[in-house]
C-alpha cells in the first residue's frame, strides 16, 4: 500500500509507466555482468513519469528466468534498488518467476512498473510551449536501453569480443562501455519544474529521448502548429554513436530515430528562463546544451528539423 496523502500531496493525480530493458539484457548475459541492468529498468520507467511532472512514488519489478541463478539475481535486484534510491521512490514489491520451458539456461527478462504523483495544478502537458522557447538537451550516459538489437548485430558482424577493449573507449571493455546504465533524470527535472524561488518560470515541457529518438518523442510535447529546429553542432556526438554510424553505415535519419545520440532528456524553457534553469539542472549534476528552439509551422503536424548533421557528425 502507498498513501499519497502521507507523502504530502493535497490533490494528486497518479501517473503510471511500465517498460523493460530490451535486448541490452543479451549483452549483460553474454558478458555475465548483471549489476547495472536493474538501474536501466528503473530509469526507463521513472524518466517517463517525470516528463509529466510526476514524482516517482513506488516501483514493482518482474524477473523471469528459466532457473534462478542466485548470484545473478542478487546483482540484478541490487541494481533495481540502487535505481529506486536514485529516483527517490520505494521498491515495494515484485515477482520472480522460473519458467524452464520458456527461457534457455542463463536467459532472463525484466519488466518494471512505476507509479508517480503530481498535484493536479502542476501537471506538465506542454500546452504552454510557444514559438521562440529554448530547447535544452541533457546529456545521456550512452545508448541507455534502446537500439541494442542493432548494436549487437554490429558487434557480431565485426567479430568483437565483449571482454576486449571497446574500440571507441579503449579504457573500458566493450561490455562495460555498452552496459553503462541509463541516466536517471528525476531529481534534476523535478527541480526544474519546482515552484520558482525567484522571479521567472519553471520548465514548460520535458521529453524523454528513448525509443523513436528525436523525431517521435519531441512532437509529443508540442502544441499544434509548432515544430522544433535543432542544431547538431550545438552538442558533441559521443564516440560510441560516431562509431556506430561509421562502422554500421547507419544513415543520420536512422541514428536519430534509433538512438538518443547523446541527449537523453529535453527541457523546453522560455528564453528569459534559459540561463537560470540551465544552472538549476547543472547544480543537480546534468550536462546541459542549448540545442535549438521552438518554431512556428504552417502545417498542423509537428516537425523536428536538425541542421548541420553532416558538418557536425560527418553522417
Amino acid at each position: 500500500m502507498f498513501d499519497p496523502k502521507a507523502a504530502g500531496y493535497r490533490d494528486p493525480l497518479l501517473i503510471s509507466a511500465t517498460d523493460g530493458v530490451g535486448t541490452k539484457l543479451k549483452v549483460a548475459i553474454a558478458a555475465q555482468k548483471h549489476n547495472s541492468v536493474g538501474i536501466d529498468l528503473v530509469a526507463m520507467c521513472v524518466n517517463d513519469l517525470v516528463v509529466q511532472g510526476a514524482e516517482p512514488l513506488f516501483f514493482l519489478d518482474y524477473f523471469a528466468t528459466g532457473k534462478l541463478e542466485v548470484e545473478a539475481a542478487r546483482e540484478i535486484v541490487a541494481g533495481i534498488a540502487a535505481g529506486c534510491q536514485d529516483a527517490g521512490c520505494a521498491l515495494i514489491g515484485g515477482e520472480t518467476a522460473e519458467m524452464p520451458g520458456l527461457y534457455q539456461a542463463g536467459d532472463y527478462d525484466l519488466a518494471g512498473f512505476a507509479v508517480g504523483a503530481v498535484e493536479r495544478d502542476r501537471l506538465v502537458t506542454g500546452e504552454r510551449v510557444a514559438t521562440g522557447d529554448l530547447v535544452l538537451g541533457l546529456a545521456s550516459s550512452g545508448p541507455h536501453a534502446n537500439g541494442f538489437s542493432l548494436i549487437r548485430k554490429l558487434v557480431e558482424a565485426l567479430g568483437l569480443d565483449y571482454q576486449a577493449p571497446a574500440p571507441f573507449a579503449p579504457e573500458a571493455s566493450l561490455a562495460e562501455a555498452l552496459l553503462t546504465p541509463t541516466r536517471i533524470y528525476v531529481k534534476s527535472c523535478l527541480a526544474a519544474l519546482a515552484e520558482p524561488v525567484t522571479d521567472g518560470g519553471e520548465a514548460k515541457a520535458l521529453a524523454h529521448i528513448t525509443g523513436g529518438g528525436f523525431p517521435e518523442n519531441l512532437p509529443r510535447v508540442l502544441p499544434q502548429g509548432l515544430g522544433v529546429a535543432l542544431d547538431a553542432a550545438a552538442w558533441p556526438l559521443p564516440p560510441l554513436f560516431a562509431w556506430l554510424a561509421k562502422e554500421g553505415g547507419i544513415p543520420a535519419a536512422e541514428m536519430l530515430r534509433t538512438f538518443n545520440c547523446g541527449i537523453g532528456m529535453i527541457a523546453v524553457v522560455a528564453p528569459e528562463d534559459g540561463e537560470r534553469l540551465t544552472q538549476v539542472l547543472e547544480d543537480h549534476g546534468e550536462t546541459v546544451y542549448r540545442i535549438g528552439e521552438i518554431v512556428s509551422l504552417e502545417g498542423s503536424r509537428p516537425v523536428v528539423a536538425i541542421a548541420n548533421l553532416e558538418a557536425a557528425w560527418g553522417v
Side-chain angles (χ1 to χ4, degrees), residues 263-283:
I263 300 294
M265 182 70 75
I266 294 288
V268 180
V269 306
E272 62 271 20
D273 298 323
E275 185 174 341
R276 181 179 60 84
L277 289 177
T278 294
Q279 189 62 57
V280 169
L281 292 164
E282 290 178 343
D283 287 347

Side-chain angles (χ1 to χ4, degrees), residues 39 41 55 62-63 66 80 100 102 108 121 138 140 142 154 169 171 231 233 241 247-249 258 266-267:
I39 299 174
L41 183 66
E55 174 192 11
Y62 173 75
F63 172 44
I80 293 171
L102 187 60
Y108 61 87
D121 59 358
L138 281 59
S140 67
L154 180 58
E171 70 280 1
D231 182 0
F241 298 107
E247 296 296 332
T258 304
I266 294 288

Side-chain angles (χ1 to χ4, degrees), residues 20-67:
V21 184
T23 58
K24 187 173 186 176
L25 293 177
K26 298 291 286 184
V27 179
I29 292 166
Q32 288 297 292
K33 187 177 185 298
H34 311 286
N35 59 350
S36 61
V37 290
I39 299 174
D40 288 298
L41 183 66
V42 175
M44 296 303 289
C45 294
V46 297
N47 286 343
D48 279 349
L49 293 181
V50 76
V51 297
Q52 296 175 84
E55 174 192 11
L57 299 178
F58 60 85
F59 187 85
L60 301 171
D61 68 278
Y62 173 75
F63 172 44
T65 186
K67 180 176 173 55

Side-chain angles (χ1 to χ4, degrees), residues 121-124 128 133 189-206 267-270 273-274 276-277:
D121 59 358
R122 301 295 294 176
L123 183 68
V124 178
R128 296 192 300 115
D133 283 346
C189 287
L190 287 177
L193 292 170
E195 191 70 41
V197 294
T198 59
D199 291 341
E202 69 278 8
K204 292 185 174 184
L206 298 168
V268 180
V269 306
D273 298 323
R276 181 179 60 84
L277 289 177

